[in-house]
């Protein structure tokens, strides 16, 4: 993929921000800090970039102005405050489910933030909690508290916990391909006990939560990336999360086992494309890559990341962020599937059939 000089400078600085031992890149001399901030906001990585900016001491040219620093600081301070709120609310959610007899695990979110050198620099979203139990039982419990909420195949919305959105998952995520998804759900069931028992302390005595193990995250978060890539869009924030998952390390035996699981779940090609972004944009060393990178597919993934931003929120090409009618959105969704079909046929060609099956699933459960 041809990357222009502006993006190249952004990627150089992102690698610098992620690696505390890296030297200041020479391309910092060309960065327009206001434009870079807009790029960081689109990708929801303002806090991550600011970690690098704090290390810009003594550069002779193009140093961020005091106004630049103040604008970034205002944004990062809000991120830190929000993280502290989310930590407390995540611990509260886990305690509440435990009190009701459910084991639970916080997937992504505040568990991912713990992997960052500064756990307050990751921009938080909502709370995703995986609750142990059959879908019908979890749905019944949530609807007993809030009767009108809509259930999807993998989660049901929960009433806001003091202003914070909560998604209650009975399945951590899913895939469009029925066979791949069946194998993925089997993996989740096999690994569930370890995740519900993996208790960690949150910063500043905010409480305790269960979080996934690194071995589980290497599969689950790849499936999460795949799901959003094919169905909505994916951004650099999610790729940076996975960067820190891989930085946790793995043995050769674990790598071989992960590769088998990725193949069984139809995720190997997506994983190879993610490794391309890991190398080119985030600077992950080759020895930390779970599979060899695929430049062709990776370039496609990177183009989608840059076009759509965080979770594809800025992408209007396929209709899901527009005011188009439902029939038009469905046609645009098919167009999106077609765009990915040659590179990722398993998920792309399965998406229309899964969407039809999901329609009937929702009729049964809503």
């Amino acid at each position: 993929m041809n990357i222009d000089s502006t993006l190249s400078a952004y990627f150089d600085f992102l690698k610098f921000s992620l690696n505390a031992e890296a030297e200041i890149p020479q391309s910092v001399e060309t960065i327009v800090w206001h434009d870079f901030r807009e790029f960081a906001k689109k990708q929801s990585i303002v806090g991550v970039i600011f970690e690098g900016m704090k290390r810009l001491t003594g550069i002779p040219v193009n140093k961020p102005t005091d106004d630049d620093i103040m604008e970034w600081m205002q944004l990062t301070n809000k991120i830190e405050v929000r993280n502290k709120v989310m930590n407390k609310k995540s611990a509260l959610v886990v305690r509440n489910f435990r009190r009701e007899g459910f084991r639970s695990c916080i997937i992504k979110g505040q568990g991912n933030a713990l992997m960052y050198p500064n756990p307050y620099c990751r921009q938080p979203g909502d709370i995703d909690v995986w609750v142990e139990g059959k879908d019908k039982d979890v749905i019944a419990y949530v609807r007993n508290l809030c009767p009108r909420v809509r259930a999807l195949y993998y989660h049901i919305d929960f009433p806001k916990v003091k202003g914070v959105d909560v998604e209650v998952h009975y399945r951590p995520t899913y895939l469009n391909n029925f066979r791949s998804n069946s194998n993925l759900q089997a993996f989740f069931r096999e690994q569930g006990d370890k995740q519900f028992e993996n208790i960690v302390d949150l910063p500043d005595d905010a409480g305790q939560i269960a979080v996934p193990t690194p071995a589980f995250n290497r599969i689950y978060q790849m499936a999460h990336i795949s799901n959003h890539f094919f169905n909505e869009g994916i951004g650099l924030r999610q790729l940076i999360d996975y960067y820190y998952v891989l930085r946790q390390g793995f043995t050769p035996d674990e790598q071989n086992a992960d590769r088998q699981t990725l193949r069984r779940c139809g995720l190997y090609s997506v994983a190879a494309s993610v490794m391309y972004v890991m190398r080119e944009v985030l600077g992950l060393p080759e020895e930390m890559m779970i599979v060899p990178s695929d430049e062709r597919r990776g370039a496609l993934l990177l183009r989608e990341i840059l076009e759509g931003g965080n979770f594809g929120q800025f992408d209007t090409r396929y209709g899901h962020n527009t005011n188009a009618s439902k029939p038009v959105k469905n046609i645009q969704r098919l167009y999106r599937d077609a765009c990915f079909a040659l590179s990722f046929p398993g998920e792309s060609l399965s998406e229309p059939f899964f969407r039809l099956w999901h329609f009937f699933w929702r009729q049964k459960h809503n």
Side-chain angles (χ1 to χ4, degrees):
M1 177 181 179
N2 292 325
I3 298 173
D4 64 31
S5 59
T6 298
L7 280 176
S8 180
Y10 291 172
F11 295 165
D12 285 346
F13 198 87
L14 180 53
K15 294 172 188 173
F16 167 71
S17 299
L18 293 171
N19 184 355
E21 299 179 358
E23 296 183 357
I24 298 173
Q26 186 174 355
S27 56
V28 74
E29 299 176 1
T30 66
I31 290 177
V32 178
W33 295 105
H34 175 272
D35 294 345
F36 194 21
R37 188 175 70 252
E38 294 307 305
F39 172 84
K41 287 167 65 177
K42 180 178 178 180
Q43 297 293 337
S44 293
I45 57 172
V46 170
V48 172
I49 297 297
F50 192 64
E51 291 298 295
M53 292 180 67
K54 290 190 291 189
R55 290 159 43 211
L56 288 180
T57 56
I59 59 172
V61 295
N62 200 35
K63 187 174 182 178
T65 66
D66 290 342
D67 287 342
D68 288 328
I69 295 295
M70 287 301 299
E71 289 173 352
W72 283 79
M73 283 185 65
Q74 288 173 359
L75 294 172
T76 55
N77 286 342
K78 290 180 181 179
I79 292 171
E80 179 174 346
V81 169
R82 184 65 175 174
N83 269 303
K84 291 180 178 180
V85 170
M86 296 296 285
N87 282 341
K88 292 180 179 178
K89 297 299 183 291
S90 296
L92 175 63
V93 167
V94 169
R95 286 198 305 272
N96 286 345
F97 275 111
R98 186 186 304 123
R99 188 167 55 243
E100 295 297 322
F102 293 97
R103 292 194 298 175
S104 64
C105 173
I106 299 296
I107 49 179
K108 304 176 294 174
Q110 301 316 105
N112 278 354
L114 294 174
M115 295 184 287
Y116 285 56
N118 175 4
Y120 293 135
C121 77
R122 180 187 183 272
Q123 188 161 322
D126 53 14
I127 295 175
D128 291 88
V129 56
W130 177 20
V131 176
E132 184 180 32
K134 295 180 180 179
D135 52 8
K136 63 183 181 64
D137 296 331
V138 178
I139 291 170
Y141 169 75
V142 173
R143 288 221 172 107
N144 185 52
L145 299 174
C146 190
R148 297 178 180 273
V149 290
R150 185 180 66 150
L152 300 179
Y153 169 68
Y154 66 115
H155 82 260
I156 185 169
D157 291 332
F158 196 75
K160 286 180 182 285
V161 178
K162 297 183 179 179
V164 175
D165 289 322
V166 178
E167 289 184 356
V168 178
H169 291 247
Y170 20 87
R171 299 177 181 91
T173 189
Y174 69 93
L175 299 171
N176 292 323
N177 182 279
F178 292 104
R179 182 178 180 181
S180 297
N181 185 57
S182 177
N183 290 335
L184 181 68
Q185 301 309 321
F187 171 81
F188 291 156
R189 289 191 296 272
E190 292 165 2
Q191 299 295 320
D193 277 343
K194 293 180 182 179
Q195 317 317 311
F196 297 124
E197 296 299 326
N198 189 36
I199 308 297
V200 298
D201 293 314
L202 291 167
D204 297 322
D205 297 321
Q208 292 184 324
I209 58 174
V211 299
T213 62
F216 184 87
N217 264 335
R218 290 195 298 272
I219 304 302
Y220 158 62
Q221 295 205 36
M222 184 59 70
H224 171 69
I225 289 170
S226 175
N227 178 285
H228 278 280
F229 173 59
F230 290 109
N231 296 305
E232 297 172 87
I234 200 74
L236 283 178
R237 183 179 68 133
Q238 291 73 44
L239 273 292
I240 291 173
D241 281 351
Y242 201 74
Y243 168 91
Y244 282 116
V245 168
L246 295 181
R247 296 286 303 194
Q248 304 290 297
F250 46 83
T251 67
D253 287 344
E254 288 174 326
Q255 183 183 48
N256 289 333
D258 288 346
R259 288 181 175 182
Q260 292 177 22
T261 303
L262 290 169
R263 288 188 187 280
R264 195 163 57 247
C265 296
L267 290 167
Y268 195 92
S269 294
V270 173
S273 67
V274 168
M275 293 308 107
Y276 171 82
V277 179
M278 290 288 147
R279 184 187 69 208
E280 297 297 319
V281 181
L282 306 183
L284 185 73
E286 293 281 346
E287 62 270 19
M288 290 187 172
M289 295 187 184
I290 201 71
V291 301
S293 65
D294 183 324
E295 182 174 355
R296 181 180 66 84
R297 290 186 174 96
L300 171 60
L301 172 63
L302 182 55
R303 283 195 295 270
E304 293 298 310
I305 288 171
L306 296 175
E307 183 71 32
N310 188 51
F311 283 143
Q313 295 174 40
F314 298 88
D315 196 344
T316 59
R317 293 172 299 167
Y318 306 117
H320 56 273
N321 291 320
T322 69
N323 293 321
S325 65
K326 188 143 192 171
V328 171
K329 286 188 176 185
N330 283 331
I331 293 172
Q332 290 172 315
R333 187 71 175 272
L334 291 172
Y335 171 69
R336 180 183 179 89
D337 295 334
C339 289
F340 299 151
L342 291 178
S343 296
F344 305 100
E347 281 295 284
S348 300
L349 297 179
S350 300
E351 191 279 327
F353 299 100
F354 179 86
R355 187 157 26 116
L356 179 62
W357 175 87
H358 194 204
F359 171 80
F360 290 106
W361 188 96
R362 293 198 310 271
Q363 300 306 304
K364 178 180 178 181
H365 291 86
N366 286 291

